[in-house]
Amino acid sequence: MANFGLDSYFVTKVPANPIGQSAVNHLRRFGVNTGFIARGGDRLGIYFLESGASQRPSKVVYDRAHSAIAEAKPEDFNWPEILAGARWFHFTGITPALSDAVAEITLQAAKTAKGMGLTVSCDLNYRKKLWTTEKANQVMSRLVQYVDLCIANEEDAEKVFGIKAADTDITKGALSDAGYKDVARQLVERFGFKYVAITLRESRSASDNGWSALLYDGKEYYKSRKYDIHIVDRVGGGDSFGGGLIYALLSGKQPQEAIEFAVAASCLKHTIPGDFNMVAVDEVEALAGGDGSGRVQR
Amino acid sequence: MANFGLDSYFVTKVPANPIGQSAVNHLRRFGVNTGFIARGGDRLGIYFLESGASQRPSKVVYDRAHSAIAEAKPEDFNWPEILAGARWFHFTGITPALSDAVAEITLQAAKTAKGMGLTVSCDLNYRKKLWTTEKANQVMSRLVQYVDLCIANEEDAEKVFGIKAADTDITKGALSDAGYKDVARQLVERFGFKYVAITLRESRSASDNGWSALLYDGKEYYKSRKYDIHIVDRVGGGDSFGGGLIYALLSGKQPQEAIEFAVAASCLKHTIPGDFNMVAVDEVEALAGGDGSGRVQR
Amino acid sequence: MANFGLDSYFVTKVPANPIGQSAVNHLRRFGVNTGFIARGGDRLGIYFLESGASQRPSKVVYDRAHSAIAEAKPEDFNWPEILAGARWFHFTGITPALSDAVAEITLQAAKTAKGMGLTVSCDLNYRKKLWTTEKANQVMSRLVQYVDLCIANEEDAEKVFGIKAADTDITKGALSDAGYKDVARQLVERFGFKYVAITLRESRSASDNGWSALLYDGKEYYKSRKYDIHIVDRVGGGDSFGGGLIYALLSGKQPQEAIEFAVAASCLKHTIPGDFNMVAVDEVEALAGGDGSGRVQR
Amino acid sequence: MANFGLDSYFVTKVPANPIGQSAVNHLRRFGVNTGFIARGGDRLGIYFLESGASQRPSKVVYDRAHSAIAEAKPEDFNWPEILAGARWFHFTGITPALSDAVAEITLQAAKTAKGMGLTVSCDLNYRKKLWTTEKANQVMSRLVQYVDLCIANEEDAEKVFGIKAADTDITKGALSDAGYKDVARQLVERFGFKYVAITLRESRSASDNGWSALLYDGKEYYKSRKYDIHIVDRVGGGDSFGGGLIYALLSGKQPQEAIEFAVAASCLKHTIPGDFNMVAVDEVEALAGGDGSGRVQR
Amino acid sequence: MANFGLDSYFVTKVPANPIGQSAVNHLRRFGVNTGFIARGGDRLGIYFLESGASQRPSKVVYDRAHSAIAEAKPEDFNWPEILAGARWFHFTGITPALSDAVAEITLQAAKTAKGMGLTVSCDLNYRKKLWTTEKANQVMSRLVQYVDLCIANEEDAEKVFGIKAADTDITKGALSDAGYKDVARQLVERFGFKYVAITLRESRSASDNGWSALLYDGKEYYKSRKYDIHIVDRVGGGDSFGGGLIYALLSGKQPQEAIEFAVAASCLKHTIPGDFNMVAVDEVEALAGGDGSGRVQR
Amino acid sequence: MANFGLDSYFVTKVPANPIGQSAVNHLRRFGVNTGFIARGGDRLGIYFLESGASQRPSKVVYDRAHSAIAEAKPEDFNWPEILAGARWFHFTGITPALSDAVAEITLQAAKTAKGMGLTVSCDLNYRKKLWTTEKANQVMSRLVQYVDLCIANEEDAEKVFGIKAADTDITKGALSDAGYKDVARQLVERFGFKYVAITLRESRSASDNGWSALLYDGKEYYKSRKYDIHIVDRVGGGDSFGGGLIYALLSGKQPQEAIEFAVAASCLKHTIPGDFNMVAVDEVEALAGGDGSGRVQR
């Protein structure tokens, strides 16, 4: 969102040492405001990534336990102060998965944000190496009551809330439109979300994916174009979808336009090495507007 | 052409400093004769390239203004001396786009070459970041009167001379054979070229392109095979086509053989990182001869 | 095989200098037992690899002449001692191609192994840059009389033994199932192998291959799934098939399971840079079991 | 200064393209406020550096002509707005050397700063490849009338103002204390500076330098310790001295303490690759406090 | 020691994941026997190193808490089995500093080793970021009762046991021979060591150190040559001294020869990037024998 | 010499494959004329270099046996044609050390050159890993009868001709001026050289050397300045001395000037990574003229 020109804050906790500072510096590079990042704790959580290709999947080894954020305390964050003047608060399911204290912090944040009139969004982002489906269900059920926009991928809704997409077997990459619409409908019905967005990944291999999404506003379903992506780096694909959708909604785009923007933004992320979606609004709009030919611009 | 064993000269101007020398050294590495490169001026033109992938196009930021060649003067080059003993003179539309003086230098060169009996070829190579279509039209119209072989891609003829390929929308990558034949015919009709060669790029994405070409000698149309290329580096694709075609014609290949050689040569360039087509004649001929299986040679 | 947890020995000869030691160290890294590697001779054989892409094939320049192993003498290896306690002995056609002395050493090894009750396997692995088909025929014919499992690819059987697959033109990548079954049958008939395994590579380009295999036990034909691989590094593809098959047979898998394991193992190798198939049994089994979706595991 | 925790702004002009943005991003990484950087113009100035070693000097090839900042116009900068709330304004002699317009911009900035009560500092930083001594004299003489703290190295005072250090031959690296005190005194006398700081580099080779400095407040001379530095990267050595001195004076250090801090800060810069002095206040103070033993801290 | 040809085991615990395996692989490369490394726990301890130069010290940020070895349990190691057939057991003060359980494991190992007749050595290796002097004193006092050879550097004896070297200020790098002899004598007197070895580092800067050592056998003092080292990588300097000394004593060298070997071995380590002392016995002996001229060997 | 602007030819033999071509390309980069390099044979000789530092010497592992040049035949080179129009022929002792045939080729070349009136120079360059002192003596004694300028380092004269420098122990780095003058005198006396140049390396460590040289013209001794070099890459140090001396003599410098130029040129080579002395005449003259301060040139 910072790359799209929005005034964006990342709120977390990092250790008060050169490693934590280095992470902050990396964020600052992209213009993210790091002023509310708490300092303290013992270590920065890391993970190791083996980059997949073709039939070999990417693999992640987490080394996040005991990180500064996982051991953060509610008093590390003064939410009314942090949220003052903001329009939107976003979190993902990874954060409350880190510890009970962090789940509590996330709850306070979401509740405060809602109370202060911000729009609240949540990407369910279920990670089986971080928590069980039972624990996720229990924690996320409390959190989503403050959520306006719920983002999920093809397996999150089932893993977190037990809501199944009819006729879909994700390891086969066979996605049914009707099934996903049904999932979106169930989510709105059960939790009262204003919007549900579902990303639809057809994973043909670690190198080639189909990528599209669905937005549901409780009345209409808005289906995006589908991109056949030759993947450079898939990490950050989901987050870049969230960032794109929030930007699109904040800048007043209509639902169809918004979901196209979000999918195009995250399509581009899949072509960029690293975690960050280093594209500008005009690049996303050129793709969303239909030019995916990849011709050299010179 | 130097890689194909021809005695090849690159004529340009570089600053008399280590940066200019470094560029000369890089050319010498491949056996290009650099003896007529003028020295002087303030800087070496550069450009920045963002390498595209999948739906993300490559992007070029030019930083060529005020370069040694852009500010070259006619007296920097003694064309009768430079061209003595040569058989062929080639230039592209990028050179006259740099400045009026360079356009004048190019004109002198082409005229002198023609007068001395060399074959003259020109790749229209239109670059919208360097000049307008109006200016291009005016300058190129004078230059092409000395040209025997005109090379164009899918949009050059329209941008430079307003000649349209019927039924073709290049951003959709939909190319019509009939349309291109018509363009070639119009070019020959209007300017009297001995040969027109048109490269036909089907840009499915920045990673995957269809690649073929058409040669027209005023009577017959020679259509090459089409290659489906998984791209490593697209830069230099057009130039390597020109180099391949000139080599083929200079070495006495018949039109069909010549266009196959040129397309195979430039197909291989797309698989090589960097600007230079580091392949030998036997490699091009193996591909042109039909072996595109990519089997290890050991 | 060491990566699959088997106690594996690599028997060769390297020079008694830092270059030879470096090669040994690299093997040790993966847990390969290097205790029977002889030291001596003048140099370590090397080869230069140009990595292909799309229509440009990989190319190998051998610089193996006069290597320590090529000039090894029979007395460098005490086969009864080396093979004591082992269950399996594997060699490929590259080794006897190096010199007459090495062919003799390979013969002693195979004969001793067979005599001590080990299973003996051979990958024909014909390399036209190392020897002629006549020489290969003469040497390999003597060697294969001690062989239980013969591995061949689409051209080995023809080049080494003159056995042709009906209706197959490998440069076109057109493979006929019936033809390969016929080759396998002829191999068993002529040499009495217990098993013949044939790898079936459909080389669409240097970047994209179809990859499958056939196992024949003299009675039944077991055909594996076919993988469409987007290639990262093709080197070691054949060896990783052999390693996978030996592991599968040694661990008691049934023929269909065994050929699926071998093909999945070597499919994964094509996605890994370098010569070594750095995958574990569970990764191979996940793929052989049907999950080739390449989804991130986290 | 940003690394030392001060709220620091870099004011310049960069092109409104990805290259300009990339430069801005690099500054943001270190927490420098880039909010007043103007966007526009054609190119980002660059230079090429050959890193010297031992008897081989580093060499710089400038390619700064026609850069965005060199062609900036006075209306690009609203100095009263930029300087509002600031305590200090710093510039170096490189900036006014770029063009008359930039010299004018610098003059407006310095004058405005002085008028608004800021402390103004200037590092003479004479560059013979950018302007002549005559031009430098004429421009800098007008600028320094608004300057409180003047920073110079061993040759600046002579090249810019014709003020010579008695008994010093800089190519021999022989520096005379008495001579430098005399230069400092002459500078104060002629221009009325509140402080003059002179860096004293003993260039034994491109790899080993002696490094110290002198601060004169019109009454007393404060000489720092001298460091014998084994150089990693000398670029940014002078700027890091200026940054250290400004920090020291802004944070209320006494003159002797201040000059020790500045010299220690810039000593550390010489040990860090790249242009930026990535050290914190406590690291500088540990060195200024006497621990230059380089022992591992663990 | 593995590089010197000794049969060497590294006993530790690493997580049963690819990161742990990667560490094991790295050790195997050098021929270290990894057969007794336990698998389990959550993570591999890591540390971040900033490589110092000149006046800038190297800095270490530990991220070792909660590592597999720090949380190891006594039942992870069967010492009688591990030590069977071994001649020597070595540990350093870093291991017991990790946790009480690891201190207990170390105690069991040392006690078992002593009881089985092995020689036991300990490098005090005090790390202030891992434990306090009080804790170190209490734990190490119990451990050293099983130790035959105690290795210390210029500050260990004071920090761990409160034994001071007279007249030495380590931050000044001023080492007194008499002082160190006195420390060695006190250590033998208090703990009954058979040998005490003290490394004497004169840290002129992070780039240049004096390096020598002293060996005391309770009767005589053996002082080594002193090397003036231009440092490439100082990490592992102490461990390579220990390895050299153990090798020298195990191979029957006399005390003066032994201390010269150990100092020469660790001198060479300072010239090698990374943690491992990749030198062979003949290289160490050439240096210990007096050839430190650094002439090319060809 | 090509870098100094002389028209320079490198005459050797490389295999007719991409590896040989790659070597030729590398030479062409620097403007060396490669037109007389013969193509053929089996392989390009290589060597492996471990770069030393401080007390650890650089080490070379040769893998040159059976190289194209080592197996060259006299008929590969037509010396009258090659040498036509040339002024100088230079060879080193490494070439004839490769094989008897190459020694014969060298002899033909030297004899032909001498007969055609060229100046002939030889760098003795004794390599103990390539031949014995006896063989060197026998071969070089025949070759030097055609030599005008003989270049030797501190040990060559003794190893090749048994001529000792009085009072010098090279492993101690103690060089006696008187001793070297005596060696130069003996060389002239025995072989009638017009010039003898001796390089004097004081090898304090692999990182720091003293470097100077002596030129003797049969009457006077010309001793150069001595440089204390902090070494980046010592490889090519001797060859760059030879190149510098030949350039200096060819361009008419007087003996003292010539030896200063040669030593300065090779001093600079020690500061440049790789085998090539990438400096221009003005850089060498600046150093020879006394500026070794290493100040940044900007």
Side-chain angles (χ1 to χ4, degrees), chain B residues 79-92:
Chain B
W79 290 109
E81 182 192 356
I82 293 171
L83 296 168
R87 289 193 287 160
W88 196 290
F89 173 73
H90 177 72
F91 68 96
T92 86

Side-chain angles (χ1 to χ4, degrees), chain B residues 271 283 293 295 297-298, chain C residues 56 58-59 127 154 203:
Chain B
T271 72
E283 295 173 288
S293 70
R295 286 180 182 268
Q297 301 187 347
R298 63 187 171 190
Chain C
R56 183 171 51 81
S58 287
K59 280 188 213 85
R127 291 287 181 272
E154 66 280 15
S203 200

Side-chain angles (χ1 to χ4, degrees), chain B residues 28-49:
Chain B
R28 291 200 298 204
R29 197 191 144 100
F30 300 103
V32 174
N33 193 315
T34 60
F36 288 115
I37 294 181
R39 307 290 173 114
D42 291 335
R43 59 185 302 263
L44 192 77
I46 57 178
Y47 68 79
F48 299 85
L49 171 69

Side-chain angles (χ1 to χ4, degrees), chain C residues 195-264:
Chain C
Y195 288 110
V196 167
I198 301 186
T199 56
L200 309 172
R201 183 181 298 278
E202 297 174 31
S203 200
R204 290 159 205 153
S205 79
S207 301
D208 288 285
N209 281 190
W211 180 248
S212 62
L214 181 75
L215 181 65
Y216 178 56
D217 63 4
K219 281 167 281 180
E220 300 289 327
Y221 297 99
Y222 304 91
K223 185 85 182 356
S224 78
R225 292 174 58 194
K226 184 171 80 181
Y227 296 97
D228 292 318
I229 310 179
H230 188 68
I231 295 177
V232 171
D233 189 342
R234 186 208 168 304
V235 175
D239 289 339
S240 62
F241 174 81
L245 188 55
I246 295 171
Y247 171 82
L249 294 173
L250 271 174
S251 58
K253 290 185 191 293
Q254 292 306 304
Q256 185 65 42
E257 244 188 327
I259 195 71
E260 294 291 2
F261 187 91
V263 169

Side-chain angles (χ1 to χ4, degrees), chain A residues 35 59 89 115 136 148 180 190 249 289-290:
Chain A
K59 279 186 215 88
F89 174 73
D148 301 288
Y180 280 114
R190 196 185 313 171
L249 294 173

Side-chain angles (χ1 to χ4, degrees), chain C residues 138-157:
Chain C
Q138 169 200 329
V139 171
M140 294 304 287
S141 293
R142 290 180 65 205
L143 281 165
V144 292
Q145 59 184 311
Y146 306 103
V147 166
D148 301 289
L149 162 62
C150 177
I151 300 170
N153 71 10
E154 66 280 15
E155 61 172 329
D156 290 335

Side-chain angles (χ1 to χ4, degrees), chain F residues 112-298:
Chain F
T112 309
K114 191 71 183 172
M116 291 171 72
L118 283 77
T119 303
V120 177
S121 59
C122 169
D123 182 341
L124 297 182
N125 236 351
Y126 178 72
R127 290 288 182 271
K128 69 173 181 290
K129 293 187 178 178
L130 291 179
W131 57 359
T132 62
T133 55
E134 291 70 30
K135 181 79 180 179
N137 187 315
Q138 171 199 328
V139 172
M140 294 304 286
S141 292
R142 290 180 65 204
L143 281 165
V144 293
Q145 57 184 312
Y146 306 103
V147 166
D148 300 289
L149 163 62
C150 176
I151 300 171
N153 71 10
E154 67 279 17
E155 62 172 328
D156 290 334
E158 178 175 352
K159 291 290 164 60
V160 178
F161 296 124
I163 295 174
K164 286 200 187 187
D167 306 329
T168 299
D169 174 347
I170 62 156
T171 63
K172 289 200 184 145
L175 301 163
S176 136
D177 267 25
Y180 280 115
K181 289 181 179 169
D182 190 56
V183 167
R185 194 191 45 75
Q186 291 184 51
L187 283 166
V188 167
E189 229 163 64
R190 196 186 312 172
F191 299 106
F193 299 126
K194 192 167 160 197
Y195 288 109
V196 167
I198 300 185
T199 57
L200 309 172
R201 184 182 297 279
E202 296 174 32
S203 200
R204 289 159 206 152
S205 80
S207 300
D208 288 284
N209 280 190
W211 180 249
S212 62
L214 180 76
L215 181 65
Y216 178 58
D217 64 2
K219 281 169 279 179
E220 300 289 327
Y221 297 98
Y222 304 91
K223 185 85 182 358
S224 79
R225 288 175 62 195
K226 185 172 81 182
Y227 295 97
D228 293 317
I229 310 179
H230 187 69
I231 295 176
V232 171
D233 190 341
R234 186 207 168 302
V235 176
D239 289 340
S240 62
F241 173 81
L245 188 54
I246 295 170
Y247 171 81
L249 294 173
L250 270 173
S251 58
K253 289 185 191 291
Q254 293 306 305
Q256 184 66 39
E257 245 189 327
I259 195 73
E260 294 292 0
F261 187 91
V263 169
S266 49
C267 167
L268 289 172
K269 169 58 203 70
H270 286 78
T271 72
I272 295 171
D275 246 12
F276 294 80
N277 193 19
M278 295 185 291
V279 291
V281 168
D282 60 345
E283 295 173 288
V284 178
E285 290 189 335
L287 179 56
D291 185 1
S293 70
R295 285 177 183 269
V296 180
Q297 300 186 347
R298 62 187 171 190

